[in-house]
Amino acid sequence: MADNPKGILYLVATPIGNLADVTFRAVEVLQGVSLIACEDTRHSRPLLERYNIDKPLTALHEHNEEAASAKLLEKLEQGESLALISDAGTPLINDPGFPLVRLAVERGVRVVPVPGACALVAALSVSGLPTSQFAFLGFPPRSSSARRSLLESLVDESNTLIFYESSHRVLEFVKDIAFVFPVQRRIVIARELTKLHETILRCTVAEVVSRIENDPFMEKGEFVVLIEAATRKTKDELTEEQLRVLKLLLGECSVKTASSLAAKVTGARKELLYQAALRLADKTS
Ligand code: SAM
């Protein structure tokens, strides 16, 4: 821009698997800048080669973000236009770039989005869950106790919940979901989107652990996990753990005592437990 001698910082989305998912504009912008900042130069090179983008690359990753961002900002202030890409999808969405964008905004550098693939949006759009309101929580905490407390704080959320998860933690994560969320709540696991082994598993919280345990492929690849929002109906359902406690107590005492004790132990509503106890007692009589 004539009245702005500073360069432009382009945030360019790249594919989340299928290399054809890059936009014409992304290619044009990457061909037009003087430098491309990326997480891992070895990772980005095949994509750039495929689209004949022959530009210098510089690394910007979680371990050098602050220092690398300051250097990139100098270049922008001297009038060079740069692009930021990440290993996959939209930069800054659980990827590096925030310090650079914050600095650029503070210093009045124009930041331009070049939108494209983003795993959470792709997963939400095909999930079959309501899309008008959602909450993206990124990666869940690594420890099970922290995960459970986070999930407990979200159980009554009226937004569709979206998480990222890696292959080696997905089973543990869904076990915690099954512990905390009502059994009937719908859950969607979007795996390897846009890739050869793309799989969308749609089931209930009651089924999800066994569905993953019984499918060896469901513990490989990249995952987006989505949980149905709470509605008045789903708020009236019990978790697997609450039902387990109720069943144990029903083996020892009356419907009334079992539901009253289960309410004290699990914190679930007594009326709900009482109705469930009546149904369970009915089935076994
Ligand atoms: N910036 C990316 C985006 O726009 O989606 C996300 C980067 S984050 C470091 C990587 C995580 O995104 C993975 O662990 C996985 O949870 C999710 N993800 C990325 N690509 C995916 C794909 N093809 N299928 C499913 N999940 C994916």
Side-chain angles (χ1 to χ4, degrees), residues 76-275:
L76 286 160
E77 291 197 306
Q78 285 159 6
E80 272 186 60
S81 285
L82 316 175
L84 173 67
I85 60 175
S86 63
D87 281 355
T90 301
L92 276 84
I93 304 303
N94 274 97
D95 271 339
F98 176 64
L100 176 61
V101 171
R102 188 190 48 204
L103 267 181
V105 170
E106 277 169 12
R107 302 278 186 87
V109 169
R110 194 169 157 215
V111 184
V112 170
V114 182
C118 181
L120 78 100
V121 176
L124 178 65
S125 64
V126 296
S127 67
L129 298 176
T131 54
S132 55
Q133 279 181 252
F134 62 90
F136 172 56
L137 286 305
F139 286 93
R142 289 187 175 199
S143 91
S144 178
S145 62
R147 271 199 307 266
R148 283 191 186 183
S149 22
L150 173 70
L151 291 169
E152 274 155 16
S153 74
L154 296 169
V155 86
D156 288 334
E157 258 282 339
S158 48
N159 298 308
T160 298
L161 301 172
I162 309 179
F163 298 88
Y164 282 165
E165 191 49 290
S166 67
S167 54
H168 46 284
R169 271 192 291 272
V170 71
L171 181 59
E172 292 311 307
F173 183 41
V174 296
K175 281 184 181 169
D176 287 332
I177 295 173
F179 189 83
V180 172
F181 275 73
V183 281
Q184 291 309 316
R185 199 74 77 86
R186 287 187 294 161
I187 180 164
V188 177
I189 315 280
R191 170 181 171 261
E192 293 288 86
L193 292 170
T194 77
K195 303 188 205 176
L196 186 61
H197 297 292
E198 179 180 274
T199 316
I200 319 280
L201 167 63
R202 300 178 182 87
C203 62
T204 63
V205 163
E207 299 156 339
V208 69
V209 173
S210 64
R211 292 288 292 271
I212 292 192
E213 273 176 342
N214 294 331
D215 180 348
F217 290 108
M218 282 309 283
E219 281 191 77
K220 295 198 178 93
E222 299 194 281
F223 297 81
V224 183
V225 176
L226 304 97
I227 310 175
E228 182 185 16
T231 59
R232 239 194 16 213
K233 184 175 153 281
T234 57
K235 276 181 187 160
D236 279 354
E237 283 158 357
L238 297 169
T239 68
E240 221 152 58
E241 181 62 9
Q242 290 161 343
L243 282 172
R244 192 183 68 81
V245 171
L246 180 65
K247 280 180 195 163
L248 275 178
L249 290 165
L250 268 179
E252 304 296 325
C253 39
S254 71
V255 163
K256 198 163 167 238
T257 314
S259 38
S260 161
L261 285 175
K264 285 191 182 130
V265 175
T266 67
R269 287 207 344 259
K270 196 165 137 191
E271 312 81 73
L272 271 184
L273 288 159
Y274 184 71
Q275 293 306 324

